[in-house]
Amino acid sequence: MPESSVGPTPFLASDRNLALELVRVTEAAALASARWTGRGRKNDADGAAVEAMRTAFDTVAIDGTVVIGEGEMDEAPMLYIGEKVGCGGPAMDIAVDPLEGTNLCAKDMPNAITVVALAERGNFLHAPDIYMDKIVVGPGLPEGVVDLDASIETNLKNLARAKNLTVQDLVLCTLERDRHQELITRARAAGARVRLLTDGDVAGGIAACLSTSEVDIYVGSGGAPEGVLTAAAVRCVDGQMQGRLLFEDDTQRERALAMNPGKSPDRKLGLQDMAAGPVLFSATGVTTGALLRGVHQHPYHAVTHSLVMRSKSGTSRFVEAHHNFRTKNWAPE
Ligand code: VTB
Ligand code: MG
Ligand code: MG
């Protein structure tokens, strides 16, 4: 259940307005990267999103620290881990993926989104840029209906039973990767349909939680930072998610331990381990996908579609915004 109101704290008192401030941040990143859709230049698209997002944060009334960002200070000029953002206010941790699906944007393929999540300080897992194993299902199901450590056959059977369906009715979503070939083969053999994504497991994970999408379960490994962003969204819609960091060597494991002292890096992570306390989440579509419509560009205006959510109320809002370039500094070059 969404956490109940426990009386106003500085964050809780202001987070309704803050949610709308966050939409502006993901909208700005989407408007900037949308200029690069289909141009085959993913780094330019990403750079435009990062810069626009960084600028948009300047007017948000928080004392923010980036904990999931574009990398270490020496490898990212903006939105690096540890960077302070916001113009002052409650102490918050920020998780960003300014352009989730840079390839999707460069190739004008579905599902590129811009993403931000906020939590009170200390409440996001500090995830290194490695892989995470993930499993996500939507709200209204018995706790533990699926488990990262159970076989895919067992998970599909239990999920079907809980939904009063058969496995044949279920749609499993995962990234199309060689490492998922066994998962895909076994899920299909068990009777499920498998929806493959070329990229973008944040949108895929959220799709598993929304009644507007056909996806029943998201499974597979993808970026750990994306896992934390997905966890924030799943918290807001009261879905279920488990994750586990995947290490290629001991250096990666030691790094995860250093980032989260005292916590076993190999443990199975629940939602609260990845995104605890009240959280806010916002995403804006860059290219049209299952979750959101992309930026609709016109010469002097653009239309954006965003999803903004608060864990405290459990409200999800789809926000359609019409941006007038004539009154802003976004006039086309
Ligand atoms: C993952 C996934 C992302 O890139 O990080 C993926 O979480 C990269 O995976 O959503 P590979 O190394 O297997 O290509 C995304 O799909 C897009 O950022
Ligand atoms: Mg990125
Ligand atoms: Mg990404």
Side-chain angles (χ1 to χ4, degrees):
M1 294 292 290
E3 61 264 37
S4 60
S5 173
V6 288
T9 67
F11 170 46
L12 291 179
S14 63
D15 76 335
R16 286 200 293 192
N17 292 340
L18 207 47
L20 290 180
E21 295 294 320
L22 271 201
V23 183
R24 291 199 180 91
V25 171
T26 54
E27 282 174 354
L31 286 165
S33 51
R35 298 271 180 89
W36 292 97
T37 50
R39 299 192 189 283
R41 289 161 63 174
K42 64 176 191 164
N43 291 338
D44 288 320
D46 199 28
V50 172
E51 193 176 338
M53 188 173 270
R54 178 69 189 78
T55 304
F57 262 122
D58 278 343
T59 54
V60 179
I62 52 166
D63 168 12
T65 307
V66 176
V67 298
I68 299 282
E70 291 296 287
E72 306 295 317
M73 191 194 292
D74 53 359
E75 61 195 39
M78 274 183 266
L79 296 172
Y80 55 83
I81 295 163
E83 183 175 348
K84 296 285 178 193
V85 297
C87 60
M92 312 276 303
D93 278 351
I94 294 165
V96 301
D97 198 344
L99 181 55
E100 157 61 356
T102 51
N103 268 317
L104 299 174
C105 178
K107 296 181 183 175
D108 202 356
M109 286 168 65
N111 258 339
I113 56 175
T114 61
V115 193
V116 163
L118 242 75
E120 289 174 345
R121 185 141 304 164
N123 283 310
F124 282 138
L125 177 79
H126 292 208
D129 199 4
I130 59 173
Y131 286 121
M132 179 193 280
D133 241 339
K134 312 170 192 184
I135 188 164
V136 183
V137 292
L141 297 163
E143 191 61 36
V145 62
V146 296
D147 195 292
L148 202 56
D149 292 330
S151 70
I152 189 60
E153 291 84 359
T154 302
N155 281 331
L156 288 169
K157 197 171 62 175
N158 289 342
L159 182 61
R161 189 180 303 135
K163 288 192 156 188
N164 219 359
L165 298 170
T166 68
V167 173
Q168 273 71 18
D169 298 316
L170 298 180
V171 176
L172 175 147
C173 184
T174 192
L175 287 172
E176 183 171 27
R177 296 292 187 275
D178 288 347
R179 63 180 184 270
H180 292 157
Q181 202 44 62
E182 188 189 334
L183 165 74
I184 294 165
T185 305
R186 285 172 57 181
R188 285 182 178 148
R193 285 186 283 156
V194 176
R195 180 175 296 184
L196 295 173
L197 305 175
T198 58
D199 266 306
D201 70 355
V202 177
I206 297 171
C209 294
L210 298 184
S211 56
T212 48
S213 115
E214 282 191 303
V215 176
D216 296 285
I217 177 169
Y218 183 87
V219 194
S221 61
E226 281 87 347
V228 174
L229 286 161
T230 306
V234 174
R235 283 281 322 286
C236 292
V237 291
D238 207 18
Q240 296 182 43
M241 175 175 179
Q242 293 174 339
R244 182 180 278 118
L245 296 174
L246 295 171
F247 303 106
E248 280 166 13
D249 52 39
D250 281 346
T251 316
Q252 288 189 350
R253 183 176 280 103
E254 277 154 25
R255 192 162 147 57
L257 183 59
M259 288 168 88
N260 303 276
K263 304 274 172 73
S264 162
D266 295 291
R267 74 197 193 283
K268 182 159 67 181
L269 302 161
L271 273 178
Q272 295 294 330
D273 298 311
M274 295 186 273
V279 296
L280 303 177
F281 177 93
S282 177
T284 300
V286 178
T287 58
T288 295
L291 184 64
L292 287 163
R293 291 178 59 192
V295 178
H296 197 149
Q297 303 183 75
H298 304 271
Y300 292 100
H301 77 282
V303 183
T304 54
H305 291 93
S306 304
L307 169 61
V308 58
M309 310 193 280
R310 300 163 65 221
S311 67
K312 183 169 172 265
S313 62
T315 308
S316 304
R317 285 189 174 80
F318 285 91
V319 178
E320 177 177 300
H322 293 247
H323 307 268
N324 184 348
F325 294 150
R326 292 179 200 274
T327 58
K328 304 200 171 174
N329 293 331
W330 291 327
E333 292 98 37

